[in-house]
Amino acid sequence: MRVFATCVFCLTASASLAGPFDGTYRPAGDWAQGWDCRSVGQDGGALAVRDGVLYGIESACQLTNPVNVRDMTAVLYDGQCASEGYTYAERLMLMRLPDRGLAIVRDGAVTTLKRCR
């Protein structure tokens, strides 16, 4: 579960930075079909990218230094993150998936999300 939570942290920046990824999401696995797409950031709730912020489960990351990834619908960011009272920095990439989903890529981990309807 810790790896999953690590994979769904949040990002904050100006709306122009994360705008292409704005939306509300849930994990892509069948096990998450019952997740509440209205309760963003809570256990069993949705994950979201809004106005430059990716909201994860009790977590947030501020995105800075966006770098478009050539030939991909993806952006690499420096993240200043906070989760459960801890702060840390990490590199991460947001990538649009063909089904309107989202991939969050971190060193050693990829989380795929489905857009909530």
Side-chain angles (χ1 to χ4, degrees):
M1 185 66 175
R2 178 165 164 70
V3 171
F4 176 77
T6 300
C7 294
V8 292
F9 284 122
C10 306
L11 315 165
T12 15
S14 73
S16 63
L17 295 180
F21 308 108
D22 280 3
T24 305
Y25 303 90
R26 67 169 179 81
D30 289 341
W31 56 270
Q33 286 182 355
W35 279 40
D36 175 8
C37 283
R38 287 168 279 185
S39 301
V40 174
Q42 299 173 6
D43 286 333
L47 314 169
V49 179
R50 294 184 188 144
D51 299 327
V53 179
L54 168 65
Y55 297 93
I57 299 171
E58 299 179 12
S59 62
C61 293
Q62 182 174 7
L63 299 178
T64 59
N65 302 322
V67 176
N68 290 322
V69 179
R70 185 185 58 226
D71 298 328
M72 297 173 67
T73 307
V75 179
L76 181 64
Y77 296 97
D78 290 328
Q80 291 298 317
C81 306
S83 177
E84 299 180 0
Y86 294 97
T87 59
Y88 57 95
E90 70 175 346
R91 290 283 274 175
L92 50 99
M93 182 175 70
L94 297 181
M95 180 175 62
R96 174 74 53 217
L97 298 176
D99 63 356
R100 295 187 42 202
L102 183 69
I104 302 170
V105 181
R106 290 182 169 79
D107 187 24
V110 177
T111 299
T112 56
L113 305 172
K114 288 182 78 167
R115 184 182 276 292
C116 289
R117 307 253 181 241

